[in-house]
Amino acid sequence: MNQQSNSFLDGLNNEQSNAVNHFEGPLLVVAGAGSGKTRALTHRIAHLITEYKVDPSEILAVTFTNKAAREMKERLELLLAKRIAKYQLDQPWSSVSLVEQNQFRTRIYREVTKDLWIGTFHALFSKLLRFDIEKFVDKEGLKWTKYFSIYDETDAQSLIKEIIIQDMNLDPKRFEPKKVRWAISNAKNQGILPDQFTQSAEGQRGKLIAQVYSLYRKALAANNALDFDDLLLLPVQLLKQNEQVRSYWHNRFKHLLVDEYQDTNWTQYELIKLLVTNGINPSFFSSWSKRSVFVVGDADQSIYSFRAADFRILMGFQEDFKNKNSLQGLSNVVKLEENYRSTSTILDAANSLISNNKERLDKVLKATRGEGELIKLTRCDDEISEAEAVVHRLRLLEAHNKDLKWGDIAILYRTNAQSRVIEESLVRWNIPYIVVGGLRFYDRREVKDILAYLRLLINPSDSVSLLRILNVPKRGIGKTTVQRFSDASSQLGIPLWEVVSDPEAIRSLGGRSAKGLLKFKELIDDLRLSLNNTEPSQLIQLVMEKSGYISELIATATDEAEERRRNLQELVNASLQYQEENEAADLEGFLATAALASDADKKDTAHDRITLMTLHSSKGLEFPIVCLVGLEQGLFPSYRSLDDPASLEEERRLCYVGLTRAKERLFLFHATERRIWGGMREPAVSSIFLSEIPSELIEGDIQLAGGAALRRERRMDRLTRVDRREDQLNSSGISKNLPTNAVRRKYSGPAPGVSWEVGNKVLHSAFGEGEVTHIFGSGEKISIAIKFVGMGPKILDPRLAPIQPIKDN
DNA sequence: CCGAATTTAATTTTT
DNA sequence: TTAAATTCGG
């Protein structure tokens, strides 16, 4: 291959090269885990621009997260900057000065990446809606303006709850807002509108939900707001309805690239079709000249069906988009099956596991690397022991490998709630970590409050935001007053803001709350004066100060208030960063970014921290070392999937995703008892997935390297425990497939219920080895005195102190 | 009529 | 353990 002219094909294997080199027509890239698909995507974009002279503004690339979008832009920038450096200076990138490197990158940003549309479906189509939403009118006459608010799941649910109770007089216990919201969301993600939903609704309950749907949509329009699903559904409606708009975007975006295609839903699929074929049935579409649709995915990694994703869309791609122009024998599918990431041991385990799924295209990941180490399985007594076992493992790894960075390690779990126990252990042992996911930064109460002010400023129809902040900080406006006004608002059919800000209405109230309302109205009017000539970051500060929010936090003077204040400072920083990254930074844009940001998006340049996250958030990432915890029936796989084969297969895919994140080492953990919430201990049976990994690939946690200090075993009541577990396993019917050499060990962290005796040897994370000399009190009020080697005795609370018992031998 | 205090219910995964 | 719902005091 000619190195000079085709640098973006360099170093690629045949299949990758075929993918990157693809120009016109549809192409499906079936990309197994770790097969270099991100590379194929970025290289293809670079290739399209440099070799096929495609204008960057004609490219639309869909990623699964904002983070992936940002990374793709960065990689692309680097790729292209290196290329022009080579042309202009004929120097390898590493010998180009930093100043010049930055000049090249800036130039690439101006000429290329700025014009590229790269982002999630939601981000891209909310951007499209900012342009064209005012050209859309719903069949029922519903309209929106470009200042629309984006409602998150909480906002959406509270609106639905309002409708269920106020408008429909239904019992929210029987019609749980959450479930109703879910049903509506599902409909929206399949492109079903209220009228069609009503027609196909079954039973009284179905009919009522259909009615909620219809009212909900009207309410959204009245608030000039869209939920996440609308960000996709409205563009579909708009593009179907308005030929001019459709043609414009069809002609603009000549090349579509979609990553993680297995996790698209029918609405997203519809969007792709509309843009690619301009509304023509794809089977009859033939104008592929200088146009392409390029999708990348792996059906085995489809893990978002709860969000209405359907991997049959991926499976149907070749049928949907037949390339009539392609030469005979030229297939429109490329398969990337060579895995460059993991050891063959890890791949064998993953392949074996996933082969238990019925519904899949046959595909096997081929290893390109060595065998590596065996997978280690550790069985623990409960979730606290499990956390301690994980930490113990990490400390061993650290002790044995000087080059190890904490950033090389990920701890993965099924549910966010599992992180807490692990965090506690990590804190005890002073290991730095970062939790990805869970509550988003933008979901914090104080942040949402300030954002609600901003939303109300630009979108006066937004009653949900208004209700949120009307009495925050406290202005003496109580429940009854609010109720009165929102009744008036819905009866008169005018936005709540107009009622609340009407001096007549306020005066009619008299006395107490009138004062607060008037103050509020003046505040909003005042802030609106700054709206058009103030940048987002300054506006945020204005809101925080003038609303009295900050002074209230200062007055409160608790640690919690201090934390909130820091978060708000962080919000200002986020807006400053947004302004830096976007030339035309406006408040609408910032609010959209905030609404669509996920916690997984935040930059984690932390090479010195262990990453904790759910299996879902780990999609697309890789780590040299992966610990997967909580492998128990009912937890992983989730109890909701146990009696549904299709869901169980999805859980298995999730497990497959987890295993294939690991490059070098994989550690699996499960407990035999687990507290669900608070205190109830429940027996746990090991996950069926463990029995689906060949036992010769797994070894039990026998070896206890790391010296006598870490060699410990609590013999007490161990035998009885083992017996009990054995019975459990036998009755569960899966024990025979379990790898039998998993050694049962107890990792006694400072768990309640650990019995301490004088003479016990312990290891403390800071003080080292010691021996228990006294025990004071018992039960909840226990404390123990420990004499540490080389220092005096310390009195500690064994339930809090970072100590572990050591077996004395 | 407002705001604080107490009780009660709830945990899958996320744009 | 936490967040929301309900009750109670001013």
Side-chain angles (χ1 to χ4, degrees), chain A residues 406-609:
Chain A
W406 289 130
D408 293 338
I409 302 171
I411 302 173
L412 307 180
Y413 36 78
R414 180 62 179 75
T415 67
N416 282 307
Q418 287 169 261
S419 76
R420 223 188 55 225
V421 204
I422 298 170
E423 285 182 68
E424 282 166 9
S425 282
L426 290 170
V427 168
R428 257 202 298 279
W429 292 91
N430 268 321
I431 297 176
Y433 66 92
I434 181 167
V435 182
V436 177
L439 72 146
R440 300 184 324 154
F441 171 71
Y442 292 105
D443 278 343
R444 286 166 207 271
R445 204 204 340 185
E446 58 279 15
V447 176
K448 282 201 79 169
D449 287 342
I450 299 302
L451 292 179
Y453 272 98
L454 300 172
R455 296 206 303 205
L456 180 66
L457 289 182
I458 50 175
N459 178 14
S461 312
D462 187 344
S463 307
V464 172
S465 294
L466 171 56
L467 285 172
R468 184 181 180 96
I469 51 160
L470 189 52
N471 198 30
V472 178
K474 305 239 146 50
R475 300 185 178 87
I477 306 165
K479 237 188 285 176
T480 324
T481 312
V482 171
Q483 190 60 51
R484 199 177 287 171
F485 276 99
S486 50
D487 282 351
S489 154
S490 57
Q491 271 168 32
L492 297 168
I494 56 175
L496 185 59
W497 166 250
E498 282 179 34
V499 186
V500 167
S501 60
D502 177 26
E504 284 300 314
I506 296 174
R507 229 167 289 137
S508 78
L509 262 175
R512 301 257 271 274
S513 12
K515 224 171 155 187
L517 275 168
L518 220 56
K519 221 173 106 193
F520 180 73
K521 174 188 155 37
E522 277 163 15
L523 170 66
I524 299 297
D525 286 343
D526 179 37
L527 287 169
R528 281 218 178 103
L529 293 178
S530 317
L531 191 55
N532 291 321
N533 49 21
T534 316
E535 52 186 5
S537 58
Q538 298 202 341
L539 216 49
I540 291 172
Q541 269 169 329
L542 278 179
V543 167
M544 283 170 10
E545 283 159 21
K546 291 196 174 176
S547 65
Y549 206 102
I550 283 288
S551 39
E552 196 195 50
L553 285 180
I554 293 172
T556 313
T558 60
D559 286 355
E560 196 198 340
E562 182 53 36
E563 168 88 28
R564 296 223 160 119
R565 216 147 63 85
R566 268 202 301 277
N567 285 332
L568 290 181
Q569 189 51 51
E570 212 37 58
L571 178 65
V572 175
N573 291 341
S575 66
L576 285 170
Q577 193 189 335
Y578 167 79
Q579 282 162 207
E580 258 171 49
E581 286 171 1
N582 297 274
E583 282 183 347
D586 54 15
L587 191 60
E588 300 95 279
F590 176 67
L591 289 177
T593 307
L596 299 174
S598 77
D599 194 66
D601 295 331
K602 71 171 168 232
K603 275 189 187 160
D604 58 315
T605 42
H607 298 293
D608 54 345
R609 282 162 185 278

Side-chain angles (χ1 to χ4, degrees), chain A residues 215-258:
Chain A
L215 287 168
Y216 171 59
R217 202 174 151 85
K218 288 192 179 106
L220 282 169
N223 282 282
N224 191 23
L226 302 177
D227 64 20
F228 285 149
D229 310 320
D230 289 329
L231 294 177
L232 310 173
L233 185 54
L234 249 68
V236 168
Q237 288 187 273
L238 171 63
L239 294 176
K240 277 187 175 167
Q241 179 185 82
N242 190 319
E243 203 191 318
Q244 273 188 332
V245 173
R246 185 175 66 231
S247 299
Y248 172 80
W249 296 107
H250 167 75
N251 289 324
R252 159 112 191 230
F253 295 126
K254 300 269 173 33
H255 297 277
L256 262 74
L257 300 93
V258 186

Side-chain angles (χ1 to χ4, degrees), chain A residues 587-631:
Chain A
L587 191 60
E588 300 95 279
F590 176 67
L591 289 177
T593 307
L596 299 174
S598 77
D599 194 66
D601 295 331
K602 71 171 168 232
K603 275 189 187 160
D604 58 315
T605 42
H607 298 293
D608 54 345
R609 282 162 185 278
I610 291 182
T611 308
L612 272 68
M613 63 183 147
T614 62
L615 287 150
H616 280 89
S617 333
S618 77
K619 181 159 103 160
L621 304 177
E622 60 176 32
F623 299 88
I625 295 162
V626 167
C627 298
L628 180 46
V629 301
L631 279 153

Side-chain angles (χ1 to χ4, degrees), chain A residues 97-133:
Chain A
S97 76
L98 273 179
V99 177
E100 279 178 312
Q101 283 192 2
N102 276 333
Q103 282 171 353
F104 282 125
R105 293 184 75 143
T106 309
R107 194 177 133 197
I108 293 296
Y109 170 75
R110 288 222 190 88
E111 290 171 10
V112 181
T113 36
K114 184 165 69 72
D115 298 323
L116 280 170
W117 279 45
I118 299 184
T120 62
F121 271 108
H122 293 87
L124 291 170
F125 285 93
S126 74
K127 190 169 162 187
L128 185 147
L129 284 176
R130 297 275 170 208
F131 284 102
D132 281 338
I133 196 169

